[in-house]
Amino acid sequence: MAEGIVTFVLEKLSDAVVKEVLQIQGVGKQVETLSRELSRIKSFLKDADMMQTLYERQKNWVNEIRDVAYDIEDVIDNAHFLKAPENPSKELPRGCSRIVSAAKRMWSKRKRLPALHNLAGEMNEILARIQDIIQSREKYEITFSGEGSGERPKLPVRPPIVPDIDNPCVVGFDLDRDNIVQQLLDTSTKRRAIISIVGPGGLGKTTLARKVYNSNDVKRQFDVHIWVAISQEFNIMDILRKIIEQVQPLLPNDLERGEQHLLRKLYETLNGKKYLLVLDDIWTSDLWTQIGGVLPDEIGSGVIITTRIQNIVGDAEPYKLPYLTEKPSLELLLKKALPNRDLSREYPDDLYELGKQFVEKCGGLPLALVVLGGLLSKRPANYAVWSKMLQTMNWGTDGRECTEIIATSYNDLPFVLKSCFMYLAVFPEDHEINAESLIQLWVAERLIPAEESRTLEDTAEIFLEDLVQRSLVQVSWRSHVGSIRSCRIHDLLREVAIQKAKEDNFVTICSKPPDNWMSVSKARRVAVHYSGCDELMKHANPNLRSLLCFERPLPNCSQQRLLKVLGDMHKYPSDNPINFECFHGLTHLRYCKLVGSGLINTTSFESFISGLKFVETLDFGYLFDVDELLEYIWNVKTLRHVKLPRHTSGPSSSADLRTLQTLMDVKSRESWNAQLPKLPNLRSLGIEVESSFSWDLFAKLLDTLKHLTSLSLDGYQVPLEIVNMQRFPFYQDLQYLHLIDHFPNKLSLQVGMFPIHITELTLSGLQFNVDPLPVLEKLCNLRLLYLFGQENQKMSCSAGGFKQLHELMFYELGNLEELEIKSGAMPILKQVTLNSCDKLGVPLGLQYLSNLKELEVLECRKLKEHADEIRDICKHVPSIVFR
């Protein structure tokens, strides 16, 4: 991993701005020498990265290189603070400007002389250390060549194969699923069913529980379905919140009232309902002791627990999960290893016997099989390559096969992918990782190399897909077009990521106050998983680069002036205002996410925001009353992704934001009437167009946005011409379109008006003089359609309409009385939600929706009266819910 930091430092030394700063400060020659020596060293590090195993002397030598590279980075970044302020006489009165300017320059020079002397001394010291490191390699005969795999892993140059969204690579467990479903549905007992799925890590307990949870019979049986992932160091309040919120929203003060209040609310929420609760990965009986007694003991309800520990819940029926036998093991391995081949008929003869030998080595452990399959998928699928891998892999004994396979798969990664994988260690156990946030963090941390034909974010997305193909990352949720929305990492893989990150001083994980503060004092990145960590910052490395906090409150980190990543990773806004004095002086921030609410100290916030000089990702989605205070931010030309509180003004008319890709939840500005901001690379735009603003001017802005893939407009009397494909042909790249109209006119619809490649469409408040479905059904790529507040009395979908639609929602269609679905319409529709459609009668043609999985009817009085009739028509639908 030292190669990664050396490469990064070399890029930094070649940066024009950095070279100028260091040249001004008199260390230009040392920098040139430093670059030459690091380039020589990098060739040895490439060989080291190819090796499966390093001996102790080799490890120590590589670690010394890594440490000196980190020190070089510190010296470079500290040098920025020595740069003299530009235009010191700006805005001074004319008569005294020269005198004051000269005085300031003299005073600045006097203050900087000792620092400059120290900088030169530090550079000379580093050069001496590097010479010593080079000599030690020769002296102790430390070599790296000839021991590697012979072929350096290559970076992915195109997106890897994306698996079928609806058919993930899962085999086996069918008999186990049927057995557990039968136990859950057995009503002969007078109590709820409690089943404990037991087995070692990687055996597939969660996969089996998910198959049970999603089975058609189970969906029909239970009124409420709840899934909660449990970590070893669980928080009871957090778990209670997750359970309750999957049934009904919490009130604002519920969390403040404490644990006993939530326990009572849990009982009240589930009482009288047939519920299925899955508690995934329990490590201690304490959790069940705390919540098991308050769960209603309803006949017909069920609880599924997955655990590595037998008899962890005394009154549970244990189900010991067996290892996979040879046939499903081979099927699973080859599905992962040969994603391009159709294995439905037969397996390839030349690889069949080798596959059986691999399966025997894996011992029927699914995680070992999928990771090995992912590793094989990155190699040519021929006998020679597979046979060599079988012979050269370091197969473990006594149940260590999975660990050895994971280690081999990690070693097979190119060094940049190793960094991306290790970075996953920052997230807590069982954490649902937002893919967009992960990609933005990778970019901010400079883990993603620049490529000519794509953005850093595009490259990062390809890297994430590559880790998924290797089965080092699990996809939790894909969008309707296949892109990853959220993911997670298996516990065993996370343990490897933590171990590797610790070895390379890549990141330090603090799940509790450290016993030894020494590890924190050297940490470059810190992820904090416990609350109250102000003490931690007192011992932290003054050159700390990254701080991610998953619990509150955030510590005072104003002394960590080289901090580049600051993230409040909590999913919910704090009820307490943020103290921005804790973040003063963080000039180098590139990623800043602060999830707070409540009133803020104006002076403190203004001082903080005006200090951000290089910020790229700014997420202030929950702050209040900061509109005018954020004005400075539009002068920062490095911005890439901005999410601001609703009703915040967008960029000023003079803003030149050429790197900006995401701009969400902002208002239009009157100043745009004179001049439009420059946003040539914008991809996602969410904007509130005020009534006083001209739609014709907004059309001019759209004309400059040639790369839009997502557009959300919230305005007054939204004209459909604003999304007309004939008017804006660049809309061919648009996939997500959301239109919200507060005071609509009657609009006319025409076939071909909407962007042709749109996949998600939300129309809220827009009123059409005819039924909109005959036009919308022609959008052949549409996967998701939300209609809100239309006033049509009758809607009809014709045969062959909505060929790709997966999800349909009607909300507050108060005048809708008839809905007709012709045979052959919506052939792959999976989910329908009807909400607040009071006059709607039983839709005609529900029986034709043969692939429908979920029908949800909420606040629909007339439909509720015909619930039995609907259930009779939709016997083929696994889940039908009336609320």
Side-chain angles (χ1 to χ4, degrees), residues 144-329:
F144 299 99
S145 60
E147 298 179 44
S149 62
E151 180 184 354
R152 183 174 180 77
K154 297 180 180 179
L155 284 172
V157 294
R158 60 182 180 278
I161 299 160
V162 177
D164 190 331
I165 300 171
D166 302 313
N167 297 294
C169 188
V170 177
V171 301
F173 301 125
D174 289 341
L175 181 59
D176 302 291
R177 176 200 59 199
D178 294 343
N179 289 339
I180 294 176
V181 168
Q182 185 177 355
Q183 292 181 46
L184 279 176
L185 303 185
D186 182 5
T187 57
S188 61
T189 63
K190 300 300 182 183
R191 300 191 61 192
R192 67 191 173 208
I194 306 176
I195 301 167
S196 176
I197 303 175
V198 182
L203 190 55
K205 303 181 295 297
T206 300
T207 301
L208 172 57
R210 189 64 77 177
K211 291 191 76 166
V212 172
Y213 187 81
N214 290 327
S215 71
N216 292 344
D217 290 337
V218 166
K219 285 188 173 182
R220 291 191 189 98
Q221 174 71 17
F222 298 98
D223 303 324
V224 175
H225 301 76
I226 306 164
W227 183 290
V228 181
I230 313 295
S231 61
Q232 290 191 54
E233 298 176 359
F234 66 88
N235 181 308
I236 184 64
M237 289 281 289
D238 192 45
I239 291 171
L240 292 171
R241 177 187 54 76
K242 289 177 180 178
I243 295 175
I244 296 169
E245 285 187 332
Q246 292 182 55
V247 185
Q248 66 180 45
L250 284 170
L251 298 174
N253 64 343
D254 277 333
L255 293 176
E256 297 176 4
R257 298 175 66 181
E259 180 181 321
Q260 291 304 313
H261 170 73
L262 286 187
L263 287 169
R264 288 192 298 271
K265 194 173 184 73
L266 172 63
Y267 176 82
E268 295 165 1
T269 301
L270 297 180
N271 191 32
K273 299 181 177 69
K274 286 186 178 180
Y275 63 86
L276 174 63
L277 171 62
V278 179
L279 300 173
D280 185 30
D281 204 15
I282 286 187
W283 286 81
T284 170
S285 59
D286 293 347
L287 174 63
W288 184 251
T289 300
Q290 288 177 277
I291 70 171
V294 300
L295 288 173
D297 198 357
E298 298 285 346
I299 299 173
S301 292
V303 178
I304 297 177
I305 291 165
T306 69
T307 179
R308 303 184 192 185
I309 306 166
Q310 197 159 354
N311 300 323
I312 199 167
V313 176
D315 52 351
E317 184 72 24
Y319 189 93
K320 191 172 182 181
L321 185 60
Y323 288 83
L324 289 180
T325 58
E326 182 184 270
K327 184 177 178 180
S329 293

Side-chain angles (χ1 to χ4, degrees), residues 533-767:
C533 55
D534 269 326
E535 183 67 22
L536 185 145
M537 285 297 103
K538 295 177 182 178
H539 301 272
N541 185 349
N543 296 320
L544 186 69
R545 291 308 200 280
S546 177
L547 177 66
L548 300 179
C549 295
F550 292 85
E551 295 293 340
R552 294 198 178 96
L554 271 64
N556 188 327
C557 48
S558 57
Q559 297 304 309
Q560 278 68 41
R561 63 178 187 172
L562 297 184
L563 202 65
K564 291 178 170 57
V565 171
L566 174 63
D568 176 359
M569 308 307 290
H570 208 276
K571 293 182 179 180
Y572 301 92
S574 170
D575 293 328
N576 300 316
I578 298 173
N579 180 11
F580 284 94
E581 291 182 3
C582 295
F583 314 124
H584 283 185
L586 303 185
T587 306
H588 286 266
L589 279 183
R590 292 194 290 249
Y591 179 98
C592 182
K593 179 180 180 181
L594 296 174
V595 186
S597 61
L599 299 175
I600 64 170
N601 182 301
T602 300
T603 304
S604 176
F605 178 77
E606 192 169 15
S607 176
F608 165 71
I609 202 73
S610 63
L612 299 179
K613 309 293 184 184
F614 310 105
V615 68
E616 297 172 354
T617 295
L618 190 68
D619 188 346
F620 286 167
Y622 292 96
L623 295 182
F624 298 149
D625 301 324
V626 294
D627 189 356
E628 295 181 4
L629 302 178
L630 281 167
E631 187 63 33
Y632 166 82
I633 207 64
W634 305 122
N635 297 324
V636 180
K637 295 186 177 182
T638 55
L639 288 173
R640 302 176 75 88
H641 307 281
V642 176
K643 183 177 181 181
L644 297 177
R646 286 184 62 81
H647 313 307
T648 300
S649 295
S652 62
S653 58
S654 59
D656 188 356
L657 300 170
R658 297 184 180 275
T659 61
L660 191 65
Q661 298 177 35
T662 305
L663 179 62
M664 299 302 296
D665 297 333
V666 296
K667 294 187 301 184
S668 58
R669 299 181 70 131
E670 286 297 327
S671 62
W672 293 356
N673 294 335
Q675 181 183 358
L676 295 170
K678 297 180 180 65
L679 308 165
N681 291 299
L682 201 65
R683 292 185 171 196
S684 298
L685 174 63
I687 193 162
E688 181 182 341
V689 183
E690 297 188 312
S691 57
S692 59
F693 188 68
S694 164
W695 282 107
D696 288 335
L697 284 171
F698 188 77
K700 291 181 181 179
L701 174 63
L702 285 178
D703 241 340
T704 68
L705 308 180
K706 306 300 183 183
H707 302 287
L708 269 187
T709 59
S710 176
L711 175 61
S712 177
L713 297 180
D714 185 336
Y716 301 82
Q717 298 186 341
V718 179
L720 277 187
E721 288 76 12
I722 213 73
V723 294
N724 195 315
M725 190 67 193
Q726 282 77 30
R727 185 174 184 183
F728 302 108
F730 60 86
Y731 271 160
Q732 62 181 346
D733 295 326
L734 198 69
Q735 293 182 341
Y736 310 100
L737 177 61
H738 307 273
L739 302 178
I740 302 171
D741 199 338
H742 295 285
F743 294 104
N745 290 321
K746 286 286 186 179
L747 301 172
S748 298
L749 277 172
Q750 300 176 23
V751 174
M753 175 175 285
F754 283 96
I756 55 176
H757 293 299
I758 195 119
T759 60
E760 293 189 11
L761 177 62
T762 299
L763 300 176
S764 177
L766 284 81
Q767 301 302 327

